[in-house]
Amino acid sequence: MLANSDCTVYLFDKQTEGFVRKYAEKVYWCENKSGSIVKSGMQTSDSTRVYFYDDNVPKTPAKDMLVRGKCEFESMKMFRAEYDFVTVMSIDDYMFGGLPHMEVSVK
């Protein structure tokens, strides 16, 4: 199991239109930064993947958010202003074999 960080997961709650916070220990947070120069200028293709090894995983792409480390906040306005967060884009289930995990791509 690869682990280099902890993560706070904000799960979107459809009933309340709010978020439920969960803390996930021992995740692998992998950031890739890249870019290329094309005729129209610089084009970046940064990506981040987070590997979860337990059940504290995001459930809803395009709604759930992640923050690296432990995060607590009092209001969403304060959260969006003060914290670097990412939004879940896709969730891949690899909960089988010798290294069961969930791979979450974020942006």
Side-chain angles (χ1 to χ4, degrees), residues 26-46:
K26 297 180 182 173
V27 301
Y28 183 65
W29 192 286
C30 179
E31 294 180 1
N32 294 316
K33 302 218 180 261
S34 64
S36 60
I37 299 175
V38 295
K39 287 183 181 181
S40 59
M42 181 72 168
Q43 184 176 16
T44 61
S45 58
D46 300 344

Side-chain angles (χ1 to χ4, degrees), residues 7-11 20-24 55-57 59 69 71:
C7 177
T8 306
V9 181
Y10 291 93
L11 302 171
V20 176
R21 181 184 52 202
K22 289 192 170 200
Y23 181 67
D55 60 351
N56 288 328
V57 298
K59 312 278 190 236
C71 175

Side-chain angles (χ1 to χ4, degrees), residues 80-97:
R80 293 182 190 277
E82 293 186 20
Y83 292 99
D84 291 328
F85 65 93
V86 292
T87 304
V88 173
M89 301 309 290
S90 68
I91 303 167
D92 296 317
D93 184 353
Y94 298 109
M95 294 301 282
F96 54 84

